[in-house]
Amino acid sequence: METEQTRSPHGRIPEGADAGVPRRAPDRIGSWLTVLTERPVSLYAAAVLRIGYGLLYLAFLLREFPHRNEIWGPGSPWTPELAGQLFDQTGWASVLTLSDSRPYFEACYAAALITSALFMLGWRTRVMSVLFAVMVASFHARAIFMTDGGDNLILLMAMYLVLTACGRRWSLDARRARLRASAGKAKSGSAGMSAGELRHQLGTSRRTLTAVLHNCGMFVIAAQVCFLYGSAGLYKVQGGSWGNGTALHYVLNLDLFRPWPELSLLADEHDVLIAIACYLTVLLQVAFPFVLFGRLKYPVLTMLLGMHLGIAVLMGLPLFSGAMIVADAVFLPDGFYRSLGPLFRRIGRSAHDGEAGVSPRGESALVPPQPAPSGH
């Protein structure tokens, strides 16, 4: 039975009845703000980015070690004076141009190798992330025309990773934090109440700041990758060679990008596959930003992995392909990375049991199981 309090004279729903509807948007915004300020997200993905880019740049510096003087050192045709003139236009700077001496350059190169290794391992990650970004920017700016372009993305990611808590997982810092936490449990209760409250407040403020910076940094990294794929796909759509499926044919016949000419010629013989690869490349790059919030992203990321491996092999651009493969890892959830640990342990246990001749049930595979004794 309706009363005057539950229904208006004109038959309309009173104002209090739908008060919960407009609250949905503020509640949703509040939940997003809570996630942004209280908990760092995608910590495993950030660790993969740290390990991947640290390893890539370390391998890059080791690969160019025999040619380091001609690319970045005093023997480079791109002299420090030319680099300084470019710096006046671009605003870049490099620690390599502070001195022309060979010992100084060798010291900087050794420092870059050590920094890349320590950043990859996650030792004092906050400090190493800053040093890694400075080293990558310095080497990139010193000889900007001497590399294949793969270091462009590494430079951007190195600067973004400074904001993230990329040392929370799979790092020496994480191992040290676990040991410190286990040791701190034994000493709990010995500190005064006032000192404990102060440490708690300082820890809360630090965790909030760390969470905000980390989440913003991961969002910028994801947005950068989406922009990269989307813009590359839209540029390809404007070209006629990608529209008629012949773009990869011309790429495979460029001497500059043919590390194995026989392999390039073999791939170029399949016209239909070349055309399908052209259309599929454009489709994947244009559709990439729109498939990130569903399960369709997993087959898309798998196909992009194959595309980058093909670029690395057929075009001889391993640094660029590796940088893109590592960047794609930001879109995989933490649950995916956590599942890798038990999977690898099961694979290792199976391999160990196979070498020892033990069946999965714990019985020896070399000795037949003995029959159970009868109950007579």
Side-chain angles (χ1 to χ4, degrees):
M1 183 176 179
E2 296 178 354
T3 61
E4 294 181 356
Q5 286 82 8
T6 59
R7 191 172 182 86
S8 64
H10 300 287
R12 297 176 183 175
I13 299 175
E15 295 180 359
D18 61 343
V21 176
R23 285 192 195 138
R24 292 179 182 175
D27 291 343
R28 193 169 299 175
I29 295 175
S31 63
W32 279 101
L33 290 177
T34 301
V35 174
L36 177 66
T37 58
E38 292 187 359
R39 182 173 60 88
V41 299
S42 300
L43 288 174
Y44 286 95
V48 171
L49 292 175
R50 186 200 78 241
I51 296 171
Y53 288 121
L55 179 61
L56 275 177
Y57 209 73
L58 178 63
F60 171 63
L61 293 176
L62 292 176
R63 186 191 70 177
E64 302 298 344
F65 187 81
H67 315 288
R68 62 190 184 282
N69 186 40
E70 290 78 12
I71 299 178
W72 299 287
S76 174
W78 188 254
T79 62
E81 291 75 16
L82 293 175
Q85 295 179 13
L86 185 62
F87 294 164
D88 295 336
Q89 301 176 16
T90 61
W92 284 96
S94 174
V95 298
L96 299 177
T97 59
L98 298 179
S99 176
D100 294 338
S101 67
R102 183 66 182 268
Y104 175 78
F105 169 72
E106 296 295 346
C108 290
Y109 207 90
L113 291 172
I114 295 173
T115 300
S116 300
L118 294 179
F119 179 68
M120 176 187 65
L121 296 174
W123 183 81
R124 307 294 181 184
T125 314
R126 283 295 181 188
V127 178
M128 287 301 143
S129 63
V130 176
L131 294 179
F132 181 72
V134 171
M135 285 297 177
V136 173
S138 296
F139 277 82
H140 176 81
R142 172 63 182 86
I144 193 172
F145 302 112
M146 300 295 288
T147 54
D148 60 5
D151 55 342
N152 291 324
L153 183 59
I154 297 180
L155 171 63
L156 293 174
M157 295 301 175
M159 292 189 294
Y160 298 152
L161 285 174
V162 173
L163 302 176
T164 66
C166 56
R168 293 281 187 89
R169 300 290 185 270
W170 295 339
S171 66
L172 297 178
D173 287 347
R175 180 177 179 273
R176 184 173 60 254
R178 288 194 300 269
L179 295 176
R180 187 180 301 170
S182 61
K185 291 180 180 179
K187 300 179 180 179
S188 60
S190 60
M193 184 61 67
S194 60
E197 292 178 354
L198 179 61
R199 284 198 300 269
H200 177 71
Q201 294 177 358
L202 293 177
T204 301
S205 302
R206 181 179 179 181
R207 285 193 297 270
T208 300
L209 179 61
T210 300
V212 171
L213 291 178
H214 170 85
N215 294 335
C216 290
M218 295 301 291
F219 175 77
V220 172
I221 290 174
Q224 178 70 57
V225 179
C226 290
F227 179 79
L228 194 153
Y229 277 121
S231 60
L234 293 177
Y235 274 117
K236 288 181 176 64
V237 169
Q238 300 175 12
S241 59
W242 288 96
N244 56 31
T246 60
L248 292 181
H249 162 74
Y250 296 110
V251 171
L252 292 173
N253 286 275
L254 290 174
D255 293 335
L256 186 61
F257 300 105
R258 294 175 70 183
W260 293 280
E262 295 80 8
L263 185 60
S264 298
L265 292 176
L266 180 63
D268 192 36
E269 292 177 355
H270 302 83
D271 297 337
V272 177
L273 294 180
I274 290 296
I276 293 175
C278 286
Y279 298 141
L280 187 61
T281 299
V282 176
L283 178 62
L284 290 176
Q285 292 182 341
V286 173
F288 180 80
F290 304 100
V291 300
L292 297 177
F293 302 100
R295 295 184 178 181
L296 190 59
K297 70 179 179 181
Y298 295 104
V300 170
L301 290 174
T302 303
M303 288 185 285
L304 287 174
L305 173 63
M307 182 186 74
H308 293 311
L309 291 177
I311 292 175
V313 174
L314 294 176
M315 298 181 62
L317 297 174
L319 183 64
F320 170 77
S321 298
M324 292 303 304
I325 291 173
V326 175
D328 292 343
V330 73
F331 299 104
L332 296 175
D334 283 349
F336 172 82
Y337 293 110
R338 283 194 294 265
S339 65
L340 295 180
L343 177 63
F344 289 151
R345 283 194 293 269
R346 284 197 299 269
I347 294 175
R349 191 180 304 115
S350 300
H352 180 268
D353 293 344
E355 292 177 357
V358 179
S359 65
R361 294 181 299 174
E363 302 169 346
S364 175
L366 302 179
V367 180
Q370 300 296 326
S374 62
H376 297 292

